[in-house]
Amino acid sequence: MLDRRSFIAAALASALPWPAVAGKVAQGLFIAETPKPLTNVDIRDNQGQPAGIESWRGKPALVNLWASWCLPCVAELPALDRLKPIIEAEGLRVIALCLDRSGAVGAVNSYARLGIRNLAVHVDHQRQAGEAFGVAVLPTTLLLNEKAEEVARFVGGAAWDGPESLTLLRALIAGKKLETAMSPPLVRPTANP
Amino acid sequence: MMLRSMMLAVAIGFGALPALPFGPTPALASEFTGRFLLETHDGKRVNDESFAGRIRLMAFGYTYCPDVCPTALSTMASALDLLGTKANQVVPLFVTVDPKRDTPAQLKDYMAAFGPRFIGLTGTVQMTDAAAKAFRVRYEIHPPEDGDPNHYVVDHSAGIFIMNRDGSFAAKLGYMADANEVAERLRQVMDGEKK
């Protein structure tokens, strides 16, 4: 037990800096020390059919966590949509996982508004993906190996169809060791898409 | 884990001793009072007493997150799901620190993404400033990089507050808190009242 004096000292010390974290979240590419199996969560397609981690094995994958209320997420969806036909032909799955509470409705409406043509609808049916994958900010994009293990994650928005991103994703497909230096540049939206 | 429980313990202590330790310290510009006078996303003027009798689950922020968006409101919504019918005793509030862009209409639209219980609170800059100060939430408005006055960036201290039914402080959880933790703290607050 703390005595009163040290309790007050502790209270004071803690009260001074309540950390300002929201604007200071580390962004960019983070490489996992060892590939990390993903916790299984209930992911469905727009027909309500299971479309989760079990079906992602066998090929490396890019899994982008987004929500319709997240401006930078919505801003990068068109780049992911353009990326999908390019990189899937080379052997990478591209999955956009919508965390909206409204489920497929939110995803479908956003896709329609943005003119998304290639991305399939994936929804976090039980609203567990954010916590299960340790994602505290959106957008966060997980890069998985063919065993559906996380080898890296990108926090923030990126031009996913840009040259730096393609180099990174081709290294993932080739099973090469990813490095922080392979990070595509962060993209910050300048207007409400 | 230990650090987290320690911080939690201190945070609880902070609530229990609101007036004691903070008076003479010059570094502390303002006292935590938990008071506010704001407007709901439906244009109704409210203050902290307007929610008397209900436990408040509160977050500060803004809807125009420029680079990454905290998932605090999703966490709050999931925590309320976990509480089942007990969630009726809790009112989830979101206070903007960016009232210039977060108009009532914008907030209303945004709140809808998290469920019908959520109430967005805004007001004049003076009103939201005062509310942020009363919860000792710090934020800064950064000038726009591209010269467009609507493209500024707001930094703020994230976290989720739990306030007792009388509006007094019960707990503050960090931005990494998950729905289970938030639900558990809400249950503790409810259970503590029964003793």
Side-chain angles (χ1 to χ4, degrees):
Chain A
M1 271 302 273
L2 290 172
D3 65 29
R4 187 179 175 83
R5 181 177 297 208
S6 47
F7 177 83
I8 291 173
L12 263 174
S14 79
L16 285 172
W18 267 351
V21 283
K24 310 276 197 290
V25 172
Q27 294 177 55
L29 185 67
F30 299 87
I31 314 287
E33 278 179 30
T34 52
K36 201 175 117 194
L38 282 192
T39 307
N40 209 357
V41 292
D42 187 355
I43 292 166
R44 307 279 179 98
D45 64 16
N46 61 348
Q47 305 295 319
Q49 295 302 308
I53 296 164
E54 288 303 323
S55 62
W56 302 346
R57 293 184 212 279
K59 274 188 199 177
L62 175 159
V63 181
N64 172 259
L65 277 70
W66 70 281
S68 61
W69 47 263
C70 161
L71 172 74
C73 302
V74 170
E76 71 171 355
L77 278 180
L80 280 169
D81 193 50
R82 292 190 297 269
L83 169 75
K84 185 176 154 98
I86 300 168
I87 206 76
E88 283 209 333
E90 299 181 28
L92 183 78
R93 289 184 213 283
V94 176
I95 293 151
L97 175 57
C98 180
L99 304 194
D100 278 25
R101 291 176 66 79
S102 62
V105 175
V108 168
N109 287 345
S110 294
Y111 281 11
R113 183 163 64 85
L114 297 163
I116 298 294
R117 292 187 301 182
N118 303 311
L119 293 172
V121 169
H122 286 82
V123 295
D124 175 21
H125 192 62
Q126 302 282 345
R127 300 188 290 275
Q128 293 169 332
E131 289 174 7
F133 301 161
V135 169
V137 294
L138 298 179
T140 291
T141 301
L142 310 179
L143 301 181
L144 311 182
N145 64 18
E146 71 289 349
K147 296 178 198 157
E149 296 167 331
E150 180 183 339
V151 293
R153 65 173 55 193
F154 188 84
V155 180
W160 287 108
D161 58 339
E164 298 92 345
S165 160
L166 288 171
T167 303
L168 169 72
L169 298 175
R170 283 172 180 146
L172 176 66
I173 294 168
K176 289 183 188 159
K177 174 96 183 114
L178 303 186
E179 289 163 25
T180 313
M182 295 173 170
S183 178
L186 282 160
V187 172
R188 170 180 277 186
T190 52
N192 196 353
Chain B
M1 195 63 209
M2 193 166 161
L3 183 66
R4 181 177 282 186
S5 11
M6 205 172 92
M7 285 181 71
L8 199 64
V10 170
I12 296 164
F14 177 38
L17 299 168
L20 240 182
F22 305 115
T25 310
L28 293 169
S30 57
E31 194 187 339
F32 186 107
T33 64
R35 310 282 316 256
F36 59 83
L37 173 66
L38 294 161
E39 278 166 21
T40 70
H41 62 232
D42 286 321
K44 197 175 147 198
R45 193 162 275 218
V46 291
N47 62 24
D48 45 294
E49 292 171 1
S50 310
F51 302 99
R54 298 175 79 189
I55 294 165
R56 309 99 199 255
L57 186 59
M58 292 181 74
F60 288 76
Y62 44 87
T63 69
Y64 283 86
C65 44
D67 40 22
V68 287
C69 306
T71 53
L73 290 180
S74 283
T75 302
M76 287 162 59
S78 297
L80 294 178
D81 290 345
L82 291 170
L83 286 181
T85 53
K86 279 189 171 178
N88 295 333
Q89 302 174 42
V90 181
V91 57
L93 302 172
F94 175 72
V95 183
T96 184
V97 294
D98 186 11
K100 194 180 151 205
R101 286 186 295 198
D102 286 338
T103 59
Q106 167 68 21
L107 273 180
K108 186 171 185 166
D109 201 32
Y110 193 76
M111 289 300 113
F114 304 98
R117 289 194 179 101
F118 277 75
I119 300 173
L121 298 175
T122 184
T124 62
V125 173
Q126 289 76 12
M127 287 159 81
T128 58
D129 261 358
K133 278 204 186 88
F135 284 79
R136 300 183 66 246
V137 166
R138 288 171 291 125
Y139 70 95
E140 270 176 75
I141 307 265
H142 297 287
E145 286 170 10
D146 56 5
D148 183 332
N150 287 317
H151 292 172
Y152 53 88
V153 178
V154 186
D155 284 347
H156 71 107
S157 51
I160 297 171
F161 292 92
I162 300 175
M163 307 297 285
N164 294 310
R165 288 178 213 269
D166 62 0
S168 61
F169 177 87
K172 181 171 191 264
L173 292 101
Y175 83 113
M176 285 299 286
D178 66 28
N180 282 316
E181 286 173 67
V182 177
E184 187 49 38
R185 288 297 288 127
L186 284 168
R187 280 192 205 102
Q188 285 171 11
V189 170
M190 290 174 192
D191 291 348
E193 294 168 339
K194 289 179 197 153
K195 284 170 193 165

